[in-house]
Amino acid sequence: MRKALLPSVVIIAASLLLLRIFYLQVIDDSFKLKSENNAIKIKYDYPERGYVYDRNGKLLIANQPSYDIMVVPKDVKNIDTLEFCSLLDISKEFFIKKINKAKVYSPMLPSVFLPQLNKLEYAAFQEKIRKFGGFYIQKRSLRDYQVDYGANVFGFITQVNENIVKKNPYYIGGDLIGRQGIEESYEEFLRGQKGVKYILRDKFNREIGSYKEGKYDTISKQGSDLTLTIDGELQKYGEELMINKWGGIVAIEPKTGEILALVSAPSFNPALLVGRQRSKNYTLLHNDSIAKPLYDRGLLAEYTPGSPFKILTGLIALQEGVVTDSTRFSCHRGFSYARGRFMKCHCSGGAVQLHRGIYQSCNTYFSNCYIKLINKYKDHSYAVDKWADHLKSFGLGAFMGYDLPIGKKGNIPTSKTYNRVYNGWNWDGKTIVSNAIGQGEVLMTPIQLANFMATIANRGYFYTPHIVKRIKGNIIDKKFRTKHITTIDRKYFDPIITGMNAVYGPGGTASGLGVTGIEICGKTGTAENYLKVNGKRVKLQDHSIFVAFAPRDNPKIAIAVFVENGYWGKRWAGPITTLMIEKYLNKKITKVDFEKRMLTGSLKAQYDKLYPRKHQDSISLINNRIKDSLSKIKRTRDSINGVLKKEIKIDTLQNP
């Protein structure tokens, strides 16, 4: 029995192997597609990417035809290199470099030789392509921006690199992929599905028909259209208001979490990152380390929130029962919290309760609230963690989970922070009192500021901010329809909101910024700004901050505006907030004096003082470049149209 076991195992194993080979070679011949690369040519049919619309149905992004010149190095033989280079306006050195790079990738597989030709360049090359063996045209589509704003929202399209090709079998060399913005976040929806055709070739490399009569061919499927939550007109207006200013504007619809505007300044025309000049333009933008036009300040910039944070201090103090809305603290134009330590205050002084503390932004009132809060518990570490937990319920100190690929967490300090910093010290509420007014270790991004304002507007809950409203043929992630409830009871929001509404009244820090017929609730902010220069902490011009929502009842917009080095809240961020709210709710502007001042006002001189190093204005430079390119295209089209008109006229005379 044992003697027969080994031969039996060998016979069974051999039989299984033979059956597998028979199946692969006779029944399933799909592996031939990989093994017979010399005999089978693969052609890809690239679909159009999905179109993109704003919340009102306005088309923001369409597509335009583009043509890549592809090369199969082993098939390039005996071509007129000089004629080829002259036709495409490239140097011989460039030609050699690209051919060598393609050979390294694969001598037998196609590589992109020259990407993104426009119609005119394609027509000129197509006419003589028969003379250049080894080269062929691959049709693709590029983005065709219908607007000149929203670059940080949209992102851009670029070629895949080797790492992407290795990780994702869908892509091959030369394919395009979305980067940044919605193009990256929703790449799998927008890209569609490319079609594949397998074509047999004879020994002379001539195409002789479809492999297996097209059995393995697939058709392309266009990408899904997206409808954004963005209001196109509001986005455009926000970018116009922020010209010659650095900072961010984020507006959210409170009841849904839909992002109405996401402005990062300085910005640029999204069309700059399309076509053959994309790489050069991107390099210019990327290398501008001062203005940072590619840096989305609305999502990435972490700032001390300043006085808007007092709203949260007040809410937590109410929730923890250390104050009521009638509790009063005496303000002497400032607050002395330690020997030799005095925090100045710009309120009118006297006995201050919650209501006046908010509308006059009293440092003394909220400092006392914070100290009482931390000193409520004998264990100050426990108290700080309790405070931090309340803040985290507003979505602070963490990635918010929105549908864009970049972001920062901000910072909400905990007991670990202070036990490390004050190791061995008996620290208490006074030690870290600067947190009370948003000047301590707390950091927030503009989108976090806007989201916490939406939470106030909703009286204690929020939906995760998101920028896509609909995906054609699909549904948005359910997490964007999930309500997040804070640790603060609803009843404590009303006195806070009353104080925020009074900010616009007589004696309020935003008096004169209101709009007739719209009840706005807001809070000014002035955040101190420091920079380390040669190891020293240097005081720079303060940041201008403003947060608000409107109307007071049934709010439709919550907004945060942050203007770097903008002096104080009412000077720049306040008027911009008012204009954005009126634009969205009324679709027109009555505060024309504000509008003129904000549209024409500039902080460029302030930035030049802060950053005296000479540098080129990359945005102006490439904007001028794109204007020149458009002018050249227009002149070429006019010339072609002129020739066509003459030919039609001659033909008409000859053949009446």
Side-chain angles (χ1 to χ4, degrees):
M1 185 70 180
R2 290 182 179 179
K3 291 181 179 180
L5 179 61
L6 183 60
S8 299
V9 170
V10 172
I11 292 169
I12 292 170
S15 300
L16 290 173
L17 184 61
L18 288 171
L19 285 171
R20 181 60 177 165
I21 293 171
F22 176 79
Y23 173 76
L24 292 176
Q25 291 191 346
V26 179
I27 299 174
D28 181 6
D29 52 6
S30 61
F31 281 84
K32 291 184 180 180
L33 299 178
K34 296 179 180 179
S35 65
E36 295 181 9
N37 279 328
N38 289 332
I40 299 172
K41 180 179 180 181
I42 301 174
K43 280 189 176 181
Y44 293 99
D45 181 20
Y46 288 90
E48 281 194 277
R49 289 179 77 84
Y51 282 46
V52 179
Y53 302 85
D54 85 339
R55 66 186 296 110
N56 301 310
K58 178 180 179 179
L59 180 62
L60 301 175
I61 311 176
N63 297 302
Q64 57 181 311
S66 171
Y67 308 90
D68 292 352
I69 296 181
M70 308 294 291
V71 62
V72 180
K74 75 176 185 64
D75 295 334
V76 179
K77 298 172 184 176
N78 303 320
I79 68 168
D80 189 333
T81 307
L82 291 178
E83 182 182 6
F84 184 92
C85 293
S86 176
L87 186 62
L88 293 173
D89 192 25
I90 59 174
S91 66
K92 187 174 180 181
E93 290 75 20
F94 178 86
F95 176 89
I96 294 170
K97 180 181 176 182
K98 295 295 286 187
I99 291 293
N100 288 337
K101 186 176 180 181
K103 286 178 180 177
V104 171
Y105 173 68
S106 172
M108 295 189 297
L109 295 177
S111 296
V112 176
F113 178 85
L114 196 63
Q116 302 181 8
L117 274 65
N118 60 38
K119 288 181 181 179
L120 299 175
E121 293 168 328
Y122 161 72
F125 185 74
Q126 180 69 10
E127 191 176 324
K128 297 187 177 182
I129 194 171
R130 66 188 184 281
K131 300 170 68 175
F132 307 116
F135 292 91
Y136 69 94
I137 296 290
Q138 175 69 67
K139 185 179 178 181
R140 304 182 194 268
S141 66
L142 294 181
R143 284 315 208 180
D144 185 10
Y145 294 101
Q146 308 300 299
V147 295
D148 60 0
Y149 54 82
N152 63 309
V153 173
F154 303 149
F156 57 91
I157 307 298
T158 187
Q159 284 188 29
V160 294
N161 56 39
E162 291 182 13
N163 288 332
I164 294 172
V165 173
K166 288 177 182 177
K167 291 178 182 177
N168 193 327
Y170 175 84
Y171 299 101
I172 61 171
D175 279 3
L176 301 177
I177 191 172
R179 276 284 168 261
Q180 298 183 15
I182 59 165
E183 295 285 13
E184 180 172 338
S185 293
Y186 289 89
E187 163 70 8
E188 291 188 10
F189 294 102
L190 288 168
R191 76 186 182 193
Q193 189 70 33
K194 62 188 174 189
V196 184
K197 290 184 178 180
Y198 300 96
I199 300 170
L200 277 174
R201 299 185 293 188
D202 62 16
K203 64 181 180 180
F204 299 107
N205 204 30
R206 293 176 302 197
E207 296 181 5
I208 57 175
S210 296
Y211 176 73
K212 292 290 182 180
E213 298 181 344
K215 178 181 177 181
Y216 298 103
D217 293 353
T218 59
I219 59 173
S220 63
K221 181 182 178 183
Q222 184 173 350
S224 300
D225 295 344
L226 298 186
T227 298
L228 303 186
T229 61
I230 291 290
D231 182 301
E233 289 303 310
L234 189 67
Q235 177 76 22
K236 178 183 178 184
Y237 190 55
E239 291 192 17
E240 290 171 348
L241 292 171
M242 290 295 289
I243 289 174
N244 290 321
K245 307 165 193 72
W246 297 353
I249 303 174
V250 183
I252 295 173
E253 184 179 68
K255 66 180 180 181
T256 62
E258 294 178 356
I259 300 172
L260 303 172
L262 180 60
V263 175
S264 178
S267 188
F268 58 93
N269 189 328
L272 293 172
L273 298 183
V274 176
R276 289 178 65 180
Q277 297 301 315
R278 186 201 70 80
S279 181
K280 289 182 180 178
N281 290 340
Y282 181 86
T283 300
L284 279 170
L285 291 167
H286 178 74
N287 290 340
D288 188 347
S289 60
I290 295 177
K292 300 179 181 178
L294 290 175
Y295 182 71
D296 193 328
R297 285 168 164 84
L299 303 178
L300 294 172
E302 296 172 301
Y303 305 101
T304 53
S307 290
F309 193 78
K310 293 172 183 175
I311 296 168
L312 293 168
T313 300
L315 280 170
I316 297 171
L318 290 170
Q319 179 68 34
E320 287 293 317
V322 297
V323 298
T324 67
D325 56 359
S326 59
T327 301
R328 295 174 182 269
F329 297 106
S330 183
C331 178
H332 303 284
R333 297 296 181 93
F335 178 63
S336 179
Y337 58 95
R339 182 178 293 179
R341 298 287 185 177
F342 186 76
M343 182 190 296
K344 291 182 179 180
C345 183
H346 47 250
C347 81
S348 56
V352 181
Q353 88 288 21
L354 178 64
H355 184 68
R356 187 154 77 91
I358 294 172
Y359 77 74
Q360 287 197 343
S361 198
C362 179
N363 288 340
T364 299
Y365 179 85
F366 291 101
S367 295
N368 275 295
C369 286
Y370 187 74
I371 290 170
K372 278 182 167 290
L373 175 66
I374 300 303
N375 294 344
K376 173 184 175 181
Y377 302 95
K378 290 183 179 180
D379 185 346
H380 296 149
S381 292
Y382 175 81
V384 167
D385 289 340
K386 186 84 171 174
W387 167 77
D389 287 342
H390 284 302
L391 293 172
K392 289 174 182 177
S393 75
F394 284 80
L396 304 177
F399 292 112
M400 300 192 69
Y402 46 71
D403 52 344
L404 286 164
I406 56 174
K408 289 288 183 70
K409 294 193 298 183
N411 184 56
I412 299 299
T414 63
S415 60
K416 289 182 180 179
T417 306
Y418 299 115
N419 287 332
R420 183 178 67 251
V421 173
Y422 301 109
N423 185 23
W425 290 21
N426 186 25
W427 58 270
D428 61 9
K430 287 185 178 181
T431 314
I432 55 176
V433 69
S434 55
N435 281 332
I437 60 171
Q439 289 290 171
E441 286 70 41
V442 175
L443 294 175
M444 293 169 66
T445 60
I447 194 169
Q448 288 177 326
L449 276 167
N451 187 62
F452 113 66
M453 193 48 41
T455 310
I456 304 296
N458 290 333
R459 278 73 170 172
Y461 70 88
F462 67 92
Y463 291 94
T464 301
H466 52 285
I467 207 156
V468 168
K469 190 178 182 74
R470 283 188 298 275
I471 307 171
K472 188 175 181 180
N474 296 274
I475 58 173
I476 65 170
D477 196 314
K478 66 179 181 180
K479 73 177 181 179
F480 300 126
R481 305 189 299 276
T482 302
K483 183 185 289 188
H484 303 278
I485 300 173
T486 69
T487 56
I488 309 298
D489 294 342
R490 182 182 175 88
K491 64 183 179 181
Y492 295 122
F493 287 89
D494 287 332
I496 294 288
I497 289 170
T498 300
M500 291 175 65
N501 185 236
V503 166
Y504 287 87
T509 55
S511 61
L513 294 185
V515 178
T516 303
I518 303 177
E519 271 203 285
I520 308 176
C521 301
K523 185 72 190 72
T524 52
T526 304
E528 291 183 350
N529 178 24
Y530 292 90
L531 183 70
K532 274 196 174 181
V533 179
N534 297 325
K536 294 182 179 180
R537 194 167 181 250
V538 180
K539 175 77 167 65
L540 303 179
Q541 188 55 253
D542 293 341
H543 297 317
S544 176
I545 312 168
F546 206 98
V547 295
F549 67 86
R552 176 175 177 171
D553 298 317
N554 190 25
K556 293 180 172 58
I557 181 173
I559 187 169
V561 178
F562 204 107
V563 181
E564 292 183 10
N565 313 109
Y567 298 86
W568 57 88
K570 189 177 177 179
R571 180 162 175 171
W572 291 103
I576 289 173
T577 300
T578 295
L579 292 168
M580 290 288 284
I581 288 174
E582 188 176 22
K583 180 75 170 179
Y584 183 67
L585 295 180
N586 291 348
K587 310 302 179 188
K588 62 179 182 180
I589 298 297
T590 59
K591 293 277 189 179
V592 291
D593 55 333
F594 283 8
E595 183 178 57
K596 182 178 179 181
R597 184 158 60 89
M598 292 301 106
L599 289 174
T600 59
S602 172
L603 286 168
K604 192 173 183 300
Q606 177 67 32
Y607 302 138
D608 288 343
K609 268 194 293 182
L610 295 172
Y611 305 99
R613 182 168 63 85
K614 292 182 180 179
H615 66 285
Q616 284 187 314
D617 186 340
S618 62
I619 299 171
S620 298
L621 184 65
I622 55 184
N623 275 330
N624 289 334
R625 178 182 288 175
I626 200 167
K627 286 178 183 177
D628 292 340
S629 298
L630 291 171
S631 296
K632 287 179 182 178
I633 292 171
K634 185 178 182 301
R635 288 196 299 271
T636 305
R637 285 175 178 168
D638 290 343
S639 176
I640 292 171
N641 288 336
V643 172
L644 290 173
K645 286 178 181 178
K646 286 180 182 178
E647 289 179 351
I648 292 169
K649 188 174 181 181
I650 293 168
D651 185 60
T652 304
L653 290 171
Q654 292 177 346
N655 304 286

